[in-house]
Amino acid sequence: MAEQEPRVGVFVCHCGINIGGVVNIPQVVKYVKTLPNVAYAEDNIYTCSAEGIDKIKAAIKEHSLNRVVVASCTPRTHEPLFRGACVDAGVNPYLFELANIREHCSWVHMREPEKATEKAKDIVRMAVARASFLKPQEESEVPVDPTALIIGGGISGITSSLCLANQGFKVYLVEKEPELGGMLRKIYRLYPTDEDASKVLEASIRAVRNHKNINILTSTNIKSVDGYIGNFEITALKDNGESKFKVGTVIVATGAVEFKPVGMYGYDKYDRVLTQVDLEKVLQSGKSDVDKFFKPQRVAMIQCVGAREEKPPRAYCSRICCMVAVKNAMLLKEWYPESEVYIIYQDMQTYGKDYEEHHRKARVADIKFINYTKENPPQVVPLPDNRLRVTVYHALLGEKRELDCDLVVLSTPLVQHESARELSKMLKVPLGQDEFFLEAHVKLRPVDFATDGIYVCGTAHGPKDIGESLSQAYAVSSRAASPMANRKVRTEAITAVVDRDRCVGCRMCERLCPFGAHRIEEGKSTVIDALCKGCGVCAAACLRRAITMRHFTDDQIMAEVKTAFLTKAPTQPEAPTNVGGKIGE
Amino acid sequence: MPEFEPKIVGFLCNWCGYAGADLAGTSRLSYPTNIRIIRVMCSGRVEPAFILNAFENGADGVLVAGCHPGDCHYRSGNQHAEKRIEKTKRLLDLLGIGSDRLRLEWISAAEGEKFASVIKDFTEKLRGKGPNPLGRELEATPVLHNGTESIYDILKRTKALYCQECGKCSSSCPITRLDPLYSPRLAVEKALMGLQDAVLTDKGLWSCLTCYLCRQRCPLDIEYDELIRTCRAKASAKGISGNCAHEGVLFSLSRLMANPETRQNRLGWIPQEAEIAKTGDVLYFAGCLPYFNVVFDDIGVKNIEIAQSMLKILNVAGIKPVLMENERCCGHDLSFAGDLESFEKLAKMNIAEIKKSGVSTVVTTCPECYRTLKVDYAELFGAKLEVLHASEFLSNLIGDGKIKFNGKLAKKVSYQDPCRLGRHMGVYDAPRKVITSIPGVELVEMTRNREGALCCGVSAWMGCGRHSKQMQIERLAEAQATTADLLVTACPKCQIHFNCALCEKLPVKKEEVAIEICDLSVLVARALNLTQTPNMVERIKNE
Amino acid sequence: MTEQFEPRILGFLCNWCSYAGADLAGVSRISYPTNIRIIRTMCSGRVDPLHVLEAFRQGVDGVLVTGCHPGDCHYITGNYACEKRVNFLKDVLAQVGIDPRRLRLEWVSASEGGKFAKVVKEMIEEVRKLGPSPLRKERQEETVAT
Amino acid sequence: MNEKPSVLIIGGGIAGIQASLDLAGRGFQVYVLEETPTIGGRMAQLDKTFPTMDCSICILAPKMMECYRHPNIKLLTYSELKEVKGSVGNFQVKILKKPRYIDETKCTGCGVCAEHCPIEVPNEFDMNLGMRKAIYMPMPQAVPRLMTVDKENCIDCKLCTKICRAGAVDFTQQPQEVELNVGAIIIATGFDQYDPSEIVEYGYQKHRNVLTALEFERWVCASGPVGGHLLRPADGGIPKKIAFIQCVGSRSRKFGTPFCSSVCCMYATKEALIIREHAPDVKVYIFYTELRAFGKGFQEFVNRARDEYGVKYIRSRPGEIREEPTKSLSIWYDDTLTREIKSLSDVDLVVLCPALVPRPSNKKLAEIMGLELDDCGFFKVVHPLFAPVDTSVHGVYVCGYCQSPKDIPDSVAQASAAAARAAEALAMVKMQSLGGN
């Protein structure tokens, strides 16, 4: 665009007495008028009032201003309001600057009016200097393909497929196994509702199969993922046959697997030592078959086997095992009322309402709970009659108990698939210490990745029960739907720009950027505006000074640096800083 | 029918009485065969409990023979014997067995003759009197599962299955704090692990005060007191029992009262001037005060004053209460000591009597009677009785202006919440209302009061020991620290136990603990100038 | 020095935590000396060594860089990058004969208005002790010269 | 309905905020109903959040602002729900907007009026530990940035009217009824804190050095009543020993509630860390019944607290807290793992972690909308596993703590889930209407 001389309009606000009561506003205005590039200056009681806004608009027209500085309060709350005024008067919003002389001046220097006034002058001068270097910015847009790829055909994947498909989005549901259903296929009954897992599963599988918007790819693996939000190119692999398709968003619902406690409590030595999932399989075969196998007299379930360990990856609590144990214990008790069922635990993780209630029911059903500590885990040794002797120190009772059991069940944690690491590289999204997928923000972005357009749900994100997995499955459906419903994403105006002549493709920026916004193409860095969040870490890091940050350019910041402390008002505008060479070069 | 042959149990001292009996033998002096002889080294060894036991087990008479005054091989044993026999005679009269069925004789080693004649004479007298009315047991059909309930069912019924093993009970229990070997939590957990024997043989089973503090605080409201009561029944069914205080005299008395044949003379305490009625609306259930009065007079507790004060107050309020000629022990202590069978008998007979009297309200001065009549009788035998504790009844009377205090009682007073009245029954305000309504009286609370009050250290006459004493001293010190002149309690047993502690050798300075203990109704009677009790504090000081 | 030397402190504040913290100091009327001037950057990770050095070249007596607490960064890791740079800068400053204590990095969250004020006070006092920046005189002459 | 689909969200806490941003972000018209003068809810009161120790307001405030600025979101703060009619795709809603006695178009939130207001009352936002004026803004980061006149405590001195240069104070304001037409409704009313004073043995409100967890959050928060200095409430002394007690009124069948609040073990751990960061020499004890660290990174967090910060975890629910003459406290407990009966004395501050309970006002909401509450007062869902956010009324969804105990991440996820279900339902309604003609 044609560079026109900056004509800065300055509006100094009294904010009632909040500023005016401390800072000598007229003096500031008088001073401001002496500054270079200032074409107009005035003061208002409340610049943010409807009246104040109108005066700004009027002044822009009247004095053909192309930069606006308001000296009042913090930009964090008021910038949008004043930018609005500029836009209405035909000035690009990024040509507006706020000088914060309230929060950072009048309110904190109430007892020193003179000094505060001096400081206010400096603050406004800095703003004016910066304003002179401001450039108009546009928030560009990237088109989004209203199609989602869902990796993993477990109950989470199935649920979010349905939710998205029902909203009219196309869905590719990719499952590496020949059958949909994932972990739920391995489970007999569900807690706390005591339903038959297979029945529930059938229903939802039928629903996805019959949905016109859902394209199911079983026995299929993802080979590669290229592109970025709105424009991913997927290559899928089905028995050596490749298929390629485009999607706008990617949802990771790959689930988790049960940890196999090899070498623990004789798991791989004695056939009467099972994991909970093994037990589920046994139970699935029905009571009559189990009777043929044996009628348990005494059963011991050991919690936290291979979980809550000293060191990662399995330092975590697997969240669901306690309820699984309670559920299966009660089932066994129901089938074999005469049997004794023990749950040997560290802390019963029966949180919330239903689970606590179930825990209580289990105790009433005479399931026996024995507390052990990490320092003093139970021992399992075989007996001649192929039963097993479980020796455990009941920490709360302070005595050793010996239980001769004909079945020992180990509650082991859910762990990440081996294949996950590969997928995380493919998608450029991180895994945590626990090897589960790591979300953008533990608190407020539980199902997003830092990289836009990619989401995670269910046990791929960490152990959780069905209800929690489905909450997340629906959650990702909402998160992914936004860009797809809009058919586009707005990109930040404040983004990095790479000067390809200076860039040597050292990949420093690519390494630093947590959002994957820098991609190296033909040995040079390119910024994907759709992904850049505008923090400027790369710009500050670039040794060739090839990266500039829009709206926070070196010129703009330097202008502030130089004008922060001046004993007398400068007569010339600040010259652009030469940022050609690197320090020490 | 054949002539009645009385059964006589003879306790003979080794040096005189027994030797005398031998001499009778060597001199071939014949006497009736009715006596069975038990040798003791000294007549001083013979306890009231032995004698009561003999009668419980069907003896028609008991003979105690010792050395002549001054001749005692152990100097003064026979003097103690005399005192005890005296006491026991009074109890026998109350029970309606009759003091003449008990005989104390001085028989020296030289008095074979005398021995023989005493036997003859006693046998004849007893033959004349006829058999001990309480001799024969009557069969009752018990509704209470006396030890038949399974541990699991007990745990279920008392909600102990909900236990979260959180330890709130054990960190509250006053006994556990003194004796970590006992802990409500561990008791429950053993039971949960199905360790039946461990539970029933555990000494701790008998240390519990059933003071309800653990239950009060238990987040799951586990009925620990009930759990203990049932387990004790189960244990005693297995022949296990704890050690009972006072050699079980009080249990014997209760068991004897459980006999339908019993015809007591328990109303002797009623003052001449007092007015009582045969029928009416209000029944005053005095409980075992007349017996306590005998058993504990040696520690200077005049328990009967409680009853007398109450009666006078009622009269002042224009009420002529009904008193039951043959009122029986409510059974509270037996039930908490594991003898549910006798408890059931007592309960049924009391219920019948009360129903018969046709009263609309029953008033008790004892919180244990109160709980038992109001809760247990209702829950276990479906007897819906309108029962009020004295504190409630009095505060109503005061509220209705039926009792007016003229004149002040300038006393600083602290109040001991009895476990049964407070935590068991939730009565905290009534007694306080009564106290504060007395002109001049200032109520100062101890740090642990109401729900958190500390028990007096013994309940159901079980296992009074070191820890009980410690608790009593601790509590008395707490009371003394309030600078109160009086420690008022609404339970005769608190009064007994605190006084008992004060009578023994104190581990601390007297002035730190020596506070006068006074029952609520006695306090009210005093405020109405109806009575005057000797001041405990004085008594101790000049000991 | 006869009259009290008033240090000039330049502050780089990240938009999300520290700038908000400074705002809170204002809202809560927690006063601190006027010696500081504030430059807002989106992230402490934007602060370029060059900016800091330029500030010293301009004759400021101290530079304060503040960002979100570790783990709080709005841009996930910007503050870590910043921390590295500040450490590197301290070495550089030492080499060019500027006391590294004139450069200070602090984590100030949006709820720590009090802390912000405290940090500013401390910094001013510390720099006051250190006396004027050695580059200050030259700079003033420069300005006079132009 | 050919204009853009709209959703009413009841509750302006983090769950409500998340749901509204999700829906507004995809072009829905969203109304956020909040009964207090500001959105932000409970999370705004927290000092930090576990397990990342994020400063709570730092990460929340931008989202609050985003809500406020979003062209598709209308905030109805200081308002209550009066009536709901109709069905999915077309609910008619009546809302009562309580008078702020402030002209929202004029007020700049500068707060000068509050400085001059003569009336001081306890500030609910600070759990009544701090004070506010009768004309006030609940917190510095309040959204919207508007003053509110608390008429109950106002003495009509009209000083604010005189002082306000913007002329924003308006005592003539009346309650006004707002009528909306929305396609779906999302409920996110969050939780209240159980009042543990009935658990007498812990002496809450009797012993001054006993606080509840939420009180403690405000007490140590840098923007709280004592500027984030760690002090003894009784005398402002410097604490050396602080203890937390878990399950106060939760997992209980007598006082409080039968359920587990799910978050206490973790926030206690977090608060313990906050203390150690404030004052590394303070000894911190956490009395727990069962240590529930089941969330992502929680167990690791607890390990860090125990091993690196030396927080002492004791498996016990103490029997009683006694106050010493010095106002220090002693805690009687049974260390269930060693079976020792002990008392921890000279404790300067005890923080009770009370049950977090669904809001009593849920009852009224349920009546208005014909929804079911469970025995504890949580909103019932159709199926806890397979319809975790669907209520019995089609088109009405529930998320956050008011559905069942949960922490912030689970609430946020569930909020997005509710948003998705609402969008899904409205999409299907639309398809049907299209299919119709």
Side-chain angles (χ1 to χ4, degrees), chain D residues 158-176:
Chain D
K158 301 278 196 297
L159 209 55
C160 42
T161 326
K162 292 184 204 73
I163 213 75
C164 179
R165 295 277 194 94
V169 186
D170 170 12
F171 281 96
T172 67
Q173 261 182 13
Q174 294 300 321
Q176 72 188 100

Side-chain angles (χ1 to χ4, degrees), chain A residues 74 109 122 545 552 554, chain C residues 23 31-32 37 46 48 51:
Chain A
T74 174
H109 308 314
D122 291 357
R545 313 215 60 77
F552 282 90
D554 288 323
Chain C
D23 284 353
S31 62
Y32 51 85
R37 302 290 177 272
R46 173 67 183 101
D48 190 321
H51 303 148

